[in-house]
C-alpha cells in the first residue's frame, strides 16, 4: 500500500519561510517522479515543483529562485524549501508520486500553508 504523508505546513508572515516534507511508504519512491502541488480555495490544483528519480527538476515560474525541491532516495523523503512566501501562496500543499511505467499516481493528504499579510 502506497502512502504519502506531508508535514511542515503552518502559518507564516509575508516574507517568511517554511520547509515541507513528504514521507513515502511502499515500494514506488525510487521509481517515481515526485512533485509538490498546491490548491487554493476556488482554484485548480497547480504544479509547484517536481523532481525525477534522477534528480531533474522543474519549477513553476512563479517560485523560481525562492523554492527548492529535493529528495532523499535512501530515506524516501522529498522536501520543499519555501522562502520569501507571499500571501497568494496560501494553499493546501500536496505531495504527489508518479511511478514510471504506471498509469497510476498517488497523493498525500495535504498540509495547509497560510501566509499572512
Amino acid at each position: 500500500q502506497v502512502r504519502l504523508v506531508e508535514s511542515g505546513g503552518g502559518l507564516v508572515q509575508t516574507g517568511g519561510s517554511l520547509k515541507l516534507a513528504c514521507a513515502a511508504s511502499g515500494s514506488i519512491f525510487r521509481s517515481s517522479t515526485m512533485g509538490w502541488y498546491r490548491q487554493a480555495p476556488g482554484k485548480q490544483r497547480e504544479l509547484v515543483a517536481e523532481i525525477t528519480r534522477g534528480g531533474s527538476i522543474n519549477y513553476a515560474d512563479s517560485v523560481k529562485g525562492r523554492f527548492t525541491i529535493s529528495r532523499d532516495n535512501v530515506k524516501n523523503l522529498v522536501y520543499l524549501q519555501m522562502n520569501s512566501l507571499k500571501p497568494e501562496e496560501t494553499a493546501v500543499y500536496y505531495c504527489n508520486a508518479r511511478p514510471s511505467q504506471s498509469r497510476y499516481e498517488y497523493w498525500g493528504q495535504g498540509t495547509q500553508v497560510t501566509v499572512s499579510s
Side-chain angles (χ1 to χ4, degrees):
Q1 180 175 311
V2 176
R3 186 183 180 198
L4 305 176
V5 180
E6 302 96 333
S7 62
L11 174 64
V12 297
Q13 295 187 46
T14 298
S17 297
L18 286 173
K19 188 173 184 178
L20 307 182
C22 173
S25 62
S27 61
I28 53 87
F29 185 87
R30 284 194 73 253
S31 66
S32 295
T33 293
M34 302 297 299
W36 286 98
Y37 292 72
R38 64 189 177 195
Q39 187 167 25
K43 299 186 69 176
Q44 295 288 99
R45 189 172 298 186
E46 65 175 353
L47 175 68
V48 177
E50 63 180 3
I51 182 168
T52 72
R53 59 186 176 87
S56 296
I57 293 170
N58 292 313
Y59 293 104
D61 287 344
S62 62
V63 308
K64 287 180 179 177
R66 298 186 297 116
F67 289 14
T68 303
I69 188 171
S70 60
R71 67 189 292 164
D72 185 330
N73 290 333
V74 175
K75 298 179 179 179
N76 291 353
L77 294 171
V78 60
Y79 303 97
L80 184 69
Q81 176 68 51
M82 305 185 293
N83 298 325
S84 302
L85 282 159
K86 305 173 181 179
E88 57 264 38
E89 293 173 319
T90 293
V92 177
Y93 284 69
Y94 296 92
C95 182
N96 169 267
R98 188 159 68 189
S100 64
Q101 300 179 340
S102 175
R103 68 191 296 263
Y104 300 106
E105 61 183 351
Y106 303 92
W107 296 92
Q109 84 288 347
T111 185
Q112 177 71 46
V113 172
T114 302
V115 185
S116 64
S117 59

